[in-house]
Amino acid sequence: MTGLVSLVGAGPGDPELLTVKAVKRLQEADLVLYDALVDRAALQHAPQARWAYVGKRAGRHSIAQETIERVMIRRALRGERIVRLKSGDPFVFGRGGEEALARAAAGVPVEIVPGVSAAVAGPALSGIPVTHRGLASAFLVVSGHAESAYLPVLGSLAPQAATVVVLMGLATRARLAALLLARGWAGATPAAIVLAAATADSHTWRGTLADLGNAPLPETEAPGLLVIGDVVQVSAQLEEMLSNQSQPQRATGV
């Protein structure tokens, strides 16, 4: 009897952002293989499953992708229900496509349970809409871990043509900013860095594209993303409006 492998998106960090279907698959699981950025509180939904950490972090030893795939195939062929719990959405820079193809090639049933991607949720939780009428009608998501990943896309993007969201780009933000400036983007273009979105340690820096490379950040190993475009100014406006609403209103006589 063949089991099932579910590639499940855990969302951007807050366990409350798990989908109903994700929770159901966790409750049914015999084995949960979870990533580095998954909040362990999400595992409370899988009390009867075995849990195995298979996360990958830059500069650290990690389990080979081929080993992860072999484990999932072997256990599924025994009839077990496997949840591969991945941060964000499994098909957004999460190797979900590779893992789905490997399962299908081995004759193992596989399903995709989409999750809330940090590419949209991270900015949103900081008050930044990736699209906004009159400011941006499109957004672009790229990986910033290597120039070969972002240069073909950003190098051909006209200035202000879309909101740019960069995942895994904290270490390369100076090079990314220099590239856009060389392409004609104005140095005054609003920019933001969102750290640890959807967690209690969240932190947002707002400034300009010219200052992005030297932006002061707290000492942390938390994941982060970059947002570049006029939509960043919406968060400042929203913050000011909400702050004014929270101020006690002075009583006026009649």
Side-chain angles (χ1 to χ4, degrees):
M1 179 179 178
T2 303
L4 173 68
V5 172
S6 300
L7 303 181
V8 178
D14 184 348
E16 292 188 354
L17 293 178
L18 284 165
T19 66
V20 173
K21 190 168 186 177
V23 171
K24 183 178 180 180
R25 289 296 179 265
L26 286 168
Q27 292 171 338
E28 298 169 342
D30 299 302
L31 173 66
V32 178
L33 305 175
Y34 65 97
D35 276 350
L37 300 182
V38 171
D39 191 319
R40 284 180 60 89
L43 300 177
Q44 67 181 328
H45 297 296
Q48 301 185 37
R50 292 186 60 191
W51 309 339
Y53 171 77
V54 293
K56 297 177 175 64
R57 297 300 299 270
R60 298 183 185 181
H61 174 74
S62 60
I63 299 175
Q65 183 67 24
E66 295 77 12
T67 301
I68 297 172
E69 293 174 358
R70 284 198 302 269
V71 169
M72 286 192 285
I73 291 171
R74 184 173 66 249
R75 301 292 289 268
L77 290 175
R78 294 179 185 172
E80 297 185 23
R81 302 180 73 88
I82 315 300
V83 167
R84 179 72 171 94
L85 192 60
K86 308 175 79 65
S87 62
D89 182 276
F91 274 17
V92 180
F93 301 128
R95 290 190 171 182
E98 297 174 36
E99 295 184 357
L101 289 171
R103 301 302 79 69
V108 173
V110 60
E111 69 169 350
I112 312 302
V113 180
V116 179
S117 174
V120 175
L125 291 169
S126 293
I128 303 172
V130 292
T131 63
H132 189 83
R133 188 170 54 149
L135 294 179
S137 59
F139 68 98
L140 173 70
V141 182
V142 298
S143 167
H145 77 279
E147 190 172 282
S148 60
Y150 61 77
L151 182 58
V153 180
L154 297 185
S156 60
L157 183 67
Q160 311 298 332
T163 301
V164 175
V165 179
V166 185
L167 303 181
M168 300 173 286
L170 292 181
T172 58
R173 65 184 187 276
R175 293 201 299 274
L176 284 157
L179 171 62
L180 293 177
L181 291 169
R183 284 286 301 156
W185 288 63
T189 301
I193 301 174
V194 180
L195 298 175
T199 74
D201 298 321
S202 63
H203 172 82
T204 301
W205 171 89
R206 287 195 305 262
T208 66
L209 179 60
D211 295 329
L212 182 62
N214 296 316
L217 297 178
E219 290 290 335
T220 178
E221 294 185 354
L225 57 85
L226 316 177
V227 189
I228 302 164
D230 289 336
V231 292
V232 172
Q233 69 190 33
V234 175
S235 67
Q237 296 169 357
L238 181 61
E239 184 177 284
E240 181 179 0
M241 293 173 68
L242 293 176
S243 176
N244 290 337
Q245 290 177 10
S246 65
Q247 297 296 322
Q249 300 297 314
R250 179 178 298 177
T252 57
V254 292

